[in-house]
Amino acid sequence: ARGHRVQRFVAKPSTCASMWFFFVLSLPLVAMATVYWTVAMPCRGTPMLVRLDAGVAWMASLSILLLVPSDVAIALRGGSQAFLEVLWPIAYWYAFGAMFSVLPIHQEYADAGDFTAFDKLRTSLRENAIFYGTLGAAGIMGILMLLIAGKLDFTNVVGFCIALSNSFGLMGVLFLMGFGLVDIPRRLWHGGNVEGNRKLSAHRVGLAAARVVAARATLAVDYQVAKSVADEEIGPRDPLRPYIEKVLAEATSVLPDIQDIEAVAPTEKKQRRFWNLFAGDEEEEVLLEYYDIGELGKLRKRVRKSVQSFDRERAQFLQTVGDALDLEDIVDNRASRDRVFRVRGRLNVDEQSNAWVPLEC
């Protein structure tokens, strides 16, 4: 009709240039953050496939920081969204599918102590049964609601899945923001009191040392349990011998001198129950009959968790001591009249050393 015309949005040169400049500037930062978290954050011995899976998931999630500003800029200024129409579905649907399928199954698969891929997958599905049961119940309720409303079709089902996913994500964001809005300002407020932080850091060093000693004792208990099973229950020619050797090798991977450590069980009831084996309690000894590969898998999982706990607490102890030394340098240089900032010798502790043992008292 006359007087009416279809207005076509053509990408303005300034819009395209700004968008590409933003992508070129931000994409390397997102990639570097992903690589850093993939390399620095996982525990030692983390399989490369686990690192890759986590890195791709982080990349898909962090890509939202690039897509949202670009989408808003194009919507305000007008322009072609063909580029975003390709990236948005890839980032969103991968994050959606990985959150409910790939990541939970792979997480439990990697944590499982079983020795075969089939057993690990079966354990992963069993551990995620409650998670998938909850999702299935929510899905059935949504389908029933759409059926009652007379709007049961593919488009509405997809919309319900998107709403469910967004609700799940928003709940996680609210919990994280609630912690950050309280903890970050509090740390910044207390950061100005250097003298008080120095005294507090000494207390934190003692707490970190106590945690390392407790994790070390727990690992020693689990190693002694596995060693007892290897010596008394599984002979040299037993088909299960290679599997128990793997368990012992994992226990000694972070603490080679663990066999020389006097294993003192922590106060937890669970650890005392296993420690009763060495006290000659025949009633409790039944709990330690690892006669099949499934029971050895459970033992391996417990040993692996003890190894990871000890490795984590040791790293946190060294970090806490380093922070305490930094605060000591700041306080000492403030009291000094020299204008040169002097740094004392840094903590140089080998990973296999027992620097925390003197702090046990």
Side-chain angles (χ1 to χ4, degrees):
R2 183 177 300 178
H4 294 80
R5 62 180 180 179
V6 178
Q7 183 178 5
R8 298 182 60 188
F9 290 99
V10 181
K12 299 179 181 179
S14 59
T15 304
C16 293
S18 301
M19 184 184 68
W20 284 112
F21 177 77
F22 176 74
F23 266 87
V24 171
L25 182 64
S26 302
L27 187 59
L29 298 178
V30 173
M32 287 189 294
T34 302
V35 172
Y36 172 76
W37 288 336
T38 305
V39 174
M41 299 301 293
C43 298
R44 70 173 71 198
T46 302
M48 184 56 63
L49 187 59
V50 176
R51 297 172 183 261
L52 180 62
D53 193 6
V56 174
W58 284 332
M59 193 69 183
S61 301
L62 292 176
S63 64
I64 305 299
L65 301 178
L66 303 180
L67 296 177
V68 170
S70 301
D71 199 353
V72 172
I74 291 178
L76 293 177
R77 298 185 180 183
S80 176
Q81 298 184 0
F83 183 67
L84 295 177
E85 289 176 355
V86 175
L87 294 182
W88 262 119
I90 294 176
Y92 179 83
W93 286 112
Y94 174 79
F96 179 85
M99 178 176 61
F100 292 109
S101 60
V102 178
L103 295 178
I105 293 177
H106 196 184
Q107 177 184 357
E108 295 297 336
Y109 181 92
D111 290 339
D114 301 279
F115 299 93
T116 62
F118 177 77
D119 291 337
K120 288 183 178 181
L121 181 59
R122 184 175 57 183
T123 301
S124 176
L125 294 176
R126 184 172 63 249
E127 294 293 334
N128 285 288
I130 299 178
F131 176 69
Y132 287 119
T134 305
L135 291 180
I140 293 174
M141 291 179 58
I143 292 176
L144 290 177
M145 292 173 58
L146 293 175
L147 185 61
I148 295 174
K151 298 181 180 180
L152 183 60
D153 54 28
F154 179 76
T155 304
N156 291 332
V157 171
V158 173
F160 174 76
C161 292
I162 294 175
L164 196 65
S165 173
N166 291 339
S167 301
F168 181 80
L170 287 175
M171 289 178 59
V173 169
L174 289 177
F175 282 117
L176 293 176
M177 289 182 62
F179 175 77
L181 291 175
V182 174
D183 188 67
I184 294 178
R186 183 174 57 185
R187 289 189 179 185
L188 294 175
W189 177 264
H190 292 296
N193 187 4
V194 181
E195 184 65 31
N197 284 333
R198 186 183 67 169
K199 297 178 181 179
L200 182 60
S201 65
H203 177 66
R204 290 175 178 172
V205 169
L207 294 178
R211 289 195 300 267
V212 175
V213 172
R216 184 169 173 262
T218 302
L219 178 58
V221 170
D222 292 336
Y223 173 81
Q224 293 291 350
V225 171
K227 191 70 168 60
S228 177
V229 172
D231 295 341
E232 301 177 8
E233 307 293 345
I234 301 178
R237 298 183 181 180
D238 195 296
L240 298 178
R241 189 67 189 183
Y243 301 114
I244 193 63
E245 292 291 343
K246 289 183 179 180
V247 176
L248 295 175
E250 290 189 7
T252 57
S253 60
V254 296
L255 210 58
D257 59 341
I258 190 173
Q259 61 272 12
D260 301 328
I261 297 175
E262 182 181 356
V264 179
T267 58
E268 286 80 356
K269 294 182 179 180
K270 184 177 179 181
Q271 295 295 345
R272 289 207 308 268
R273 183 181 65 181
F274 289 112
W275 185 247
N276 286 337
L277 172 68
F278 304 104
D281 193 340
E282 296 180 358
E283 182 180 356
E284 296 292 344
E285 189 174 348
V286 180
L287 298 173
L288 293 170
E289 292 181 351
Y290 296 98
Y291 290 140
D292 57 18
I293 192 172
E295 294 298 327
L296 286 180
K298 295 179 181 179
L299 176 62
R300 184 189 184 191
K301 182 177 181 179
R302 194 174 75 246
V303 170
R304 181 181 295 173
K305 287 186 176 296
S306 298
V307 169
Q308 293 175 353
S309 177
F310 172 72
D311 205 11
R312 178 177 60 253
E313 297 298 343
R314 179 174 57 184
Q316 290 180 353
F317 167 77
L318 297 177
Q319 179 65 37
T320 304
V321 172
D323 295 340
L325 293 178
D326 291 338
L327 289 174
E328 289 286 345
D329 289 337
I330 294 175
V331 173
D332 293 343
N333 282 274
R334 279 186 174 183
S336 177
R337 296 182 178 180
D338 298 337
R339 294 186 177 182
V340 179
F341 190 87
R342 303 184 185 278
V343 180
R344 67 177 65 189
R346 280 290 156 263
L347 183 67
N348 185 14
V349 180
D350 183 74
E351 293 185 349
Q352 306 299 339
S353 65
N354 299 326
W356 47 84
V357 174
L359 299 176
E360 184 177 357
C361 59

